[in-house]
Amino acid sequence: MAEIIHNSNYILLSATIFFTIFFLALLTNANAMIHNVASFGAKADGNTDASPAFLKAWIAACSSSKPSMIYVPLKKYLIGPTEFLGPCKNSNITFRIDGMLIAPDYKKMKFSAQHWITFNYVNGMSIIGGFLDGRGSSLYACKLAKKDCPAGSTDVVLEGVQIRAPDESLNTDGIHIQKASNVRVYDCGIKTGDDCISIGAGTRDLLIQRVACGPGHGISIGSLRHQLEEEGVQNVTVRSVVFTGTQSGMRIKFWARPSKGFVKGVVFKNAVMNNVLFPIVIDQNYCPGIEGCPTSNSGIQISQVTYSNIKGTSATEVAMKFDCSKSHPCKDIHVEDIKLVYRQEHQEKEGKPQQPATSFCRNVHGITRGSVFPPSCV
């Protein structure tokens, strides 16, 4: 799971998968003091650890009372697990990366590291330009151990980010947002082996807009129900997004276990589905395996969820699925202006007639408005 978590106190770049991220932005402070990492001894061969030089440049920038920029030239720099620590004397520090930062091969490291690059107790931090190569293929075995790395974040903007991971890579969420508030994700392209964007417990006031997803598992709220006292998810808007060849489109998923968590105030709007297996899904009986699945009812309360102006093709017959909890039925589910067509490529080639798409409902209450196809069961 790749994470980019940014707030006034904490920025985390996690090298848990292979990913290359490209930030497109312009430097806004032309009067900043410039600290070139090469001037502090950073070797640009991609093999020599440049972390000490980066830390020296950081100390110079952080200890200055004037706006500062740490500049990374258009070359390759190997960076070991590094923490850039604040607080700093100024709240206007920019990392301008024209080159590439390369993570070490974790198989060759003599110690384990949960995070790659960490900025801690820093206010007013910006990262502009460049590539980050996490070399995460060496960490897939570690991800299978399902380690939990929670971190809080607030006031985040991710814009113009491109994330790439092989479609067969395991547990490679493109962006994971958890315990976060006031997060904005704009104009991103994500190709990965798991959720393009996963939304975890404690997330609120999230806007995702103009995102292209595929391959991947779509944009998912959940899965939740790791603990009984788990935080809820509230006020999430996903709009103007395109899904191409993904497993799911817009999904809410929970394990069937007791919980005091909740999801409310979610809007999915203006989406295009291109041959998506399950375009619209609420699944409160989530279990990706076939054995050891929980058998109790999900305690997560889902309410005030709107699906509006969603069009395209479904690769399976059930284009809309609302499988909610018997003890905590989904409430106030609004479905409006939907047109999803069941696309069967093999039947087209064989000259067989198309079958209409269908919807599935269990323990769900709500309202249907406008033209909805397949016919709504809400």
Side-chain angles (χ1 to χ4, degrees), residues 37-38 40-43 49-60 70-73 77-79 82 84 95 97 100-101 117:
V37 295
F40 291 88
K43 292 186 178 181
D49 186 6
S51 303
F54 274 66
L55 284 172
K56 290 177 182 178
W58 171 257
I59 292 172
I70 298 172
Y71 177 64
V72 181
Y77 296 89
L78 177 68
I79 302 294
T82 305
F84 298 95
F95 246 96
I97 306 172
M100 176 182 290
L101 305 187
I117 300 174

Side-chain angles (χ1 to χ4, degrees), residues 176-213:
H176 179 67
I177 302 168
Q178 183 168 334
K179 294 185 179 180
S181 63
N182 194 28
V183 178
R184 302 290 181 264
V185 181
Y186 300 125
D187 303 311
C188 295
I190 305 172
K191 298 181 178 181
T192 186
D194 209 300
D195 294 327
C196 290
I197 301 177
S198 58
I199 302 163
T203 298
R204 60 184 60 216
D205 302 326
L206 167 64
L207 172 61
I208 298 170
Q209 183 169 287
R210 297 186 303 274
V211 169
C213 170

Side-chain angles (χ1 to χ4, degrees), residues 271-293:
V272 176
M273 306 285 176
N274 296 317
N275 200 33
V276 175
L277 281 174
F278 307 104
I280 297 175
V281 179
I282 294 179
D283 185 2
Q284 288 198 266
N285 295 289
Y286 174 72
C287 184
I290 58 175
E291 297 180 356
C293 296

Side-chain angles (χ1 to χ4, degrees), residues 26 42-43 65 94 109 157 162 231 239 271-272 358 368:
L26 295 175
K43 292 186 178 181
S65 59
T94 300
M109 291 177 58
V157 177
Q162 303 294 322
E231 296 179 71
R239 66 190 183 203
V272 176
T358 63
T368 298

Side-chain angles (χ1 to χ4, degrees), residues 108-126:
K108 298 178 181 179
M109 291 177 58
K110 297 181 180 180
F111 61 94
S112 61
Q114 200 171 49
H115 303 141
W116 176 21
I117 300 174
T118 304
F119 294 82
N120 212 355
Y121 304 109
V122 179
N123 292 321
M125 179 71 203
S126 300

Side-chain angles (χ1 to χ4, degrees), residues 135-317:
R135 295 174 67 174
S137 58
S138 65
L139 288 181
Y140 290 156
C142 177
K143 290 305 299 178
L144 289 174
K146 299 180 179 179
K147 294 183 177 180
D148 188 20
C149 310
S153 44
T154 131
D155 300 328
V156 182
V157 177
L158 291 173
E159 184 172 5
V161 176
Q162 303 294 322
I163 299 177
R164 302 287 184 267
D167 57 2
E168 70 276 7
S169 56
L170 300 174
N171 195 218
T172 51
D173 292 357
I175 299 173
H176 179 67
I177 302 168
Q178 183 168 334
K179 294 185 179 180
S181 63
N182 194 28
V183 178
R184 302 290 181 264
V185 181
Y186 300 125
D187 303 311
C188 295
I190 305 172
K191 298 181 178 181
T192 186
D194 209 300
D195 294 327
C196 290
I197 301 177
S198 58
I199 302 163
T203 298
R204 60 184 60 216
D205 302 326
L206 167 64
L207 172 61
I208 298 170
Q209 183 169 287
R210 297 186 303 274
V211 169
C213 170
H217 292 183
I219 295 177
S220 297
I221 297 177
S223 58
L224 299 188
R225 199 359 217 130
H226 292 291
Q227 352 178 14
L228 180 63
E229 301 294 336
E230 196 166 50
E231 296 179 71
V233 174
Q234 184 173 346
N235 192 18
V236 173
T237 299
V238 179
R239 66 190 183 203
S240 302
V241 293
V242 178
F243 301 89
T244 302
T246 53
Q247 183 192 78
S248 298
M250 295 172 293
R251 177 171 61 164
I252 301 174
K253 56 176 181 173
F254 308 119
W255 295 86
R257 300 189 182 108
S259 175
K260 294 183 180 180
F262 64 88
V263 170
K264 67 178 180 180
V266 178
V267 175
F268 296 112
K269 186 175 183 179
N270 302 339
V272 176
M273 306 285 176
N274 296 317
N275 200 33
V276 175
L277 281 174
F278 307 104
I280 297 175
V281 179
I282 294 179
D283 185 2
Q284 288 198 266
N285 295 289
Y286 174 72
C287 184
I290 58 175
E291 297 180 356
C293 296
T295 57
S296 58
N297 291 317
S298 171
I300 301 288
Q301 181 62 69
I302 302 173
S303 63
Q304 302 172 24
V305 180
T306 297
Y307 299 88
S308 175
N309 191 28
I310 299 169
K311 306 181 186 305
T313 55
S314 171
T316 55
E317 185 176 355

